[in-house]
Amino acid sequence: MPDARIAVHPEARIDRIEPEVHGHFSEHLGRCIYDGIWHDETVDSEGFREDVVDLLDDLDLPVLRWPGGCFADDYHWEDGVGEDRPRRRNLFWAQGREEIPEEPNTFGTDEFLELCERIDTEPYLALNVGSGDPQEATDWVEYCNYDGDTELANRRRENGHEDPYGVKYWGIGNENWGCGGQMSPEQYAREYRRFATYVGTMDNLMVEEDHELIAVGYERHEWNRRYLEEVGESAWGVEFPLDHLTLHHYYGRDMSVAEADEDKYDKFLAEALEMERHIERIAGAIDAVATTRDIGVIIDEWGGWHVEATADSGLEQPGTVLDALSAAAVLDIFNDHADVMTMANIAQTVNVLQCLVETDGDDAFARPTYHVFDLYAPHKGNEAVRTSIDAPTRALDDGELPLVGASASVDEDGGVYVTATNLDCRERHTVEIDLGSVAAETVDAQTLFDGQEPDAEVDADNAGEFEPDDLDVSVSDGTLTADLGPATVAGISIQ
Ligand code: AHR
C-alpha cells in the first residue's frame, strides 16, 4: 500500500532551473588540486590527471569556483602565472601533508582556466579581499579578460593565451566575516563597494564580457540584512553593485557516518534540509532591501562535513550513501526555489569534504554523490514546477524529518522529470505520484543505492556498486507507483 503521495503540478511553474545550481568548488586544500586535479609534485608525470578530468567532463559541470575558500583571501594571483612561481606557505590548510603546508603555485590561473575549457565549464574566480586590494583584483580581471595592448593582456599572451578567457563570475572575497578578514557586515559592505567599483568598471573595457559580481553572505542572517542595508546606501547614486549574494551551509559536523546510528542519520538529514530555511531567509533579506534589482541567491559552498575532515586530514572524509542522499534532498530544495537560486557549488570537487571524485594513487573513481548529480542532471535548464507531498514524518528531538522528498521539472517538449528521495534509512516507502495532466506514454525510471547501507563507503574496488539500477514502476490512470528502498533516490522521466 502506498504511504506517500506526490502530486506534480506541471501548470504551476516556478522558474528555470539554472544549470549553475549543479556547480562545484575547488580550493588549494588537501588533495583537491594537487593529487586531485593536477598530478602531485611527488608524482613524476606532470599536468592534469586525465582520469579525473574525464570524470568531471562526463558530469558536464556548469560552473567551477576557485581558488578558495579561505585560501582565496591569502592568494596573490601573480604568484601562479608565468615561468617563475614562488613557493608560499598555505596559511589555512595543511595540504594533506605532514610537513609545514606550502603552495608550489604550479597550478595557477592559466591551468585553472585551461581545465575549465577542457571540461566546458564556466569559471568563477574568488578575489582576495582580506589581504589583497582592488588594484590586484582589477589586474586579475585585466589579465584574464582584456583584449587590448596592455602589459597584463600581453603577459597572458606570452603565457600562451592569445584570446581573453571571458571569465564572467567574480566573487568579492570569501567568508569575510571569518577567515577573510573578520569584518563586520558594514565593513565588508564598504570594502565590497570599493572592489566592485573597480572590478565592475572593467566591464566598460570589455568587448563582450558582462561580469557578474558575487557578494559574501552568511548563515547568521543578521549579517545579510546589515550588509544589504549598507551596500545599498546610494550616496552617489550607485545602488547595489551586485548580482548575487551567497551563503555557505555545511551540515553533520559533529558526526562520523561510520560511527553514527539511525537516529543520527535522521538528525543529519534534517540539518541538510535546513538549506530551505536559509534560502528563504537570504532571499527574504534581498527582497526587503533590494526591491528594484534582481539579485540572485548562491549557495557558494555546501555539503556534509564530518569529524574525519580536519586540517590534518586535508578535510578528507569517506564518501558515503548517506551523504549522497543528503545531496539529493538538497538538489530537490534548489529546484523548489528556482525562482531565486542562481548558482550552488558543492564542496569540494575532488578528494575534499563531500567531493564527487576521489583519487587513490593511480585510481580515480566516482563517489555516490557523483551519481546523484548525474541522476539529477535532466532537471538542468528545465522549468521547475510545484509538487505537493503527503508523506510520513519522523519526530526528532527538535522537529521532524519528512521521510520522502521530491521535486519536478518540465522540459521544452512537455516531458516531466521527477526526482524522489526516500530519506528513511530504516524502511521502504511506496510512493504514488499523481502526474496531473501529463500523459505518461513513455516512462523511464532509475534508482540509486537500493540494497546499500547508508554508511556504505566507496573505494577504488567497489566504486561500480553505486551506479544506478532500473526502477520498476507501474502507471495507471495518471498515477505512477514506485517502491523506494531505504535511503534511496529515484529519477523518473515521463514523456
Ligand atoms: O571548504 C572548506 C572551507 O570551508 C573553505 O575554505 C571555507 O570557505 C569554508 O569555511
Side-chain angles (χ1 to χ4, degrees):
M1 277 294 286
D3 65 350
R5 282 169 190 82
I6 299 166
V8 177
H9 307 289
E11 68 292 345
R13 305 283 167 123
I14 301 173
D15 213 328
R16 178 174 190 258
I17 298 170
E18 298 299 341
E20 287 76 12
V21 298
H22 284 228
H24 298 265
F25 162 47
S26 54
E27 181 169 13
H28 286 242
L29 192 177
R31 297 190 306 124
C32 181
I33 302 295
Y34 301 110
D35 201 30
I37 289 167
W38 191 262
H39 280 296
D40 193 279
E41 292 172 290
T42 56
V43 178
D44 283 344
S45 52
E46 284 186 357
F48 294 103
R49 279 193 67 135
E50 296 297 338
D51 48 3
V52 171
V53 171
D54 287 348
L55 278 162
L56 298 179
D57 197 20
D58 288 347
L59 200 54
D60 207 8
L61 274 60
V63 63
L64 185 57
R65 177 176 180 249
W66 177 84
C70 294
F71 182 83
D73 284 82
D74 186 42
Y75 182 63
H76 300 285
W77 69 270
E78 289 190 85
D79 289 346
V81 294
E83 290 296 318
D84 298 319
R85 302 194 186 184
R87 198 172 173 83
R88 305 271 188 216
R89 77 271 176 293
N90 182 327
L91 201 55
F92 289 102
W93 303 111
Q95 294 284 9
R97 303 174 185 122
E98 285 174 6
E99 313 92 66
I100 296 169
E102 289 177 353
E103 169 55 47
N105 279 309
T106 325
F107 187 94
T109 302
D110 292 307
E111 289 74 24
F112 173 70
L113 294 173
E114 188 185 328
L115 169 71
C116 291
E117 282 179 356
R118 280 188 186 211
I119 60 176
D120 197 16
T121 289
E122 196 73 53
Y124 163 10
L125 298 182
L127 296 163
N128 178 345
V129 171
S131 70
D133 60 28
Q135 181 68 60
E136 182 185 36
T138 314
D139 285 350
W140 204 5
V141 179
E142 183 176 339
Y143 178 86
C144 293
N145 287 356
Y146 190 54
D147 201 16
D149 181 21
T150 62
E151 190 273 330
L152 283 168
N154 288 330
R155 208 187 311 168
R156 181 194 66 241
R157 294 188 183 100
E158 281 158 25
N159 292 336
H161 298 272
E162 179 60 33
D163 295 330
Y165 288 108
V167 178
K168 177 161 91 169
Y169 296 115
W170 295 91
I172 311 285
N174 171 76
E175 294 192 356
N176 299 91
W177 38 263
C179 62
Q182 301 201 15
M183 300 179 192
S184 70
E186 291 78 17
Q187 185 186 1
Y188 173 67
R190 289 192 286 274
E191 284 296 317
Y192 179 93
R193 287 222 299 225
R194 212 159 73 93
F195 275 72
T197 302
Y198 296 98
V199 173
T201 305
M202 286 296 287
D203 250 1
N204 301 340
L205 305 180
M206 304 297 155
V207 184
E208 288 176 21
E209 266 53 71
D210 184 12
H211 296 140
E212 297 195 16
L213 301 187
I214 299 169
V216 168
Y218 198 5
E219 259 183 321
R220 297 188 184 179
H221 291 271
E222 169 76 3
W223 165 283
N224 303 324
R225 185 183 61 73
R226 285 170 52 186
Y227 161 76
L228 284 162
E229 275 174 7
E230 181 74 21
V231 85
E233 282 284 304
S234 62
W236 308 102
V238 182
E239 273 190 63
F240 300 114
L242 79 151
D243 300 291
H244 313 264
L245 183 62
T246 66
L247 64 76
H248 298 174
H249 179 51
Y250 290 106
Y251 41 86
R253 289 183 89 138
D254 61 348
M255 77 183 273
S256 155
V257 178
E259 285 164 19
D261 58 15
E262 288 166 339
D263 288 345
K264 288 218 169 109
Y265 299 161
D266 291 344
K267 185 169 167 280
F268 168 75
L269 292 168
E271 252 186 74
L273 295 181
E274 283 174 20
M275 184 70 87
E276 179 148 50
R277 181 175 59 87
H278 288 303
I279 294 170
E280 286 169 0
R281 288 200 64 185
I282 196 167
I286 292 169
D287 252 10
V289 185
T291 48
T292 56
R293 179 149 178 145
D294 201 8
I295 298 170
V297 172
I298 292 181
I299 305 299
D300 232 2
E301 296 179 24
W302 67 275
W305 184 328
H306 302 298
V307 292
E308 292 88 348
T310 62
D312 283 344
S313 72
L315 298 196
E316 290 193 32
Q317 63 190 21
T320 63
V321 164
L322 186 69
D323 279 351
L325 186 64
S326 79
V330 168
L331 291 176
D332 281 333
I333 292 172
F334 292 160
N335 289 348
D336 285 346
H337 294 80
D339 50 339
V340 295
M341 290 290 305
T342 44
M343 190 193 293
N345 302 309
I346 191 168
Q348 296 193 6
T349 319
V350 188
N351 288 329
V352 170
L353 294 170
Q354 194 174 339
C355 55
L356 281 81
V357 173
E358 183 174 337
T359 65
D360 180 5
D362 286 341
D363 291 316
F365 51 92
R367 280 188 160 194
T369 299
Y370 181 104
H371 298 299
V372 167
F373 273 75
D374 215 15
L375 193 77
Y376 275 61
H379 282 304
K380 289 191 273 185
N382 279 1
E383 286 275 315
V385 299
R386 298 264 169 234
T387 51
S388 26
I389 304 174
D390 174 19
T393 57
R394 178 165 300 126
L396 308 180
D397 287 346
D398 53 354
E400 60 178 16
L401 176 70
L403 296 178
V404 172
S407 68
S409 66
V410 177
D411 66 27
E412 52 193 22
D413 301 321
V416 174
Y417 195 63
V418 180
T419 41
T421 50
N422 180 358
L423 298 175
D424 191 344
C425 295
R426 306 164 209 223
E427 309 282 342
R428 307 186 74 83
H429 289 283
T430 302
V431 179
E432 246 183 29
I433 305 178
D434 175 352
L435 300 171
S437 55
V438 182
E441 283 166 17
T442 318
V443 176
D444 179 32
Q446 295 200 304
T447 185
L448 285 171
F449 317 134
D450 205 7
Q452 296 278 1
E453 293 297 322
D455 62 354
E457 289 176 19
V458 68
D459 59 35
D461 295 327
N462 70 6
E465 295 169 17
F466 298 88
E467 296 196 353
D469 296 313
D470 289 339
L471 174 68
D472 281 337
V473 298
S474 59
V475 185
S476 163
D477 293 336
T479 300
L480 183 151
T481 306
D483 183 37
L484 304 183
T488 60
V489 186
I492 305 166
S493 166
I494 304 131
Q495 306 288 333

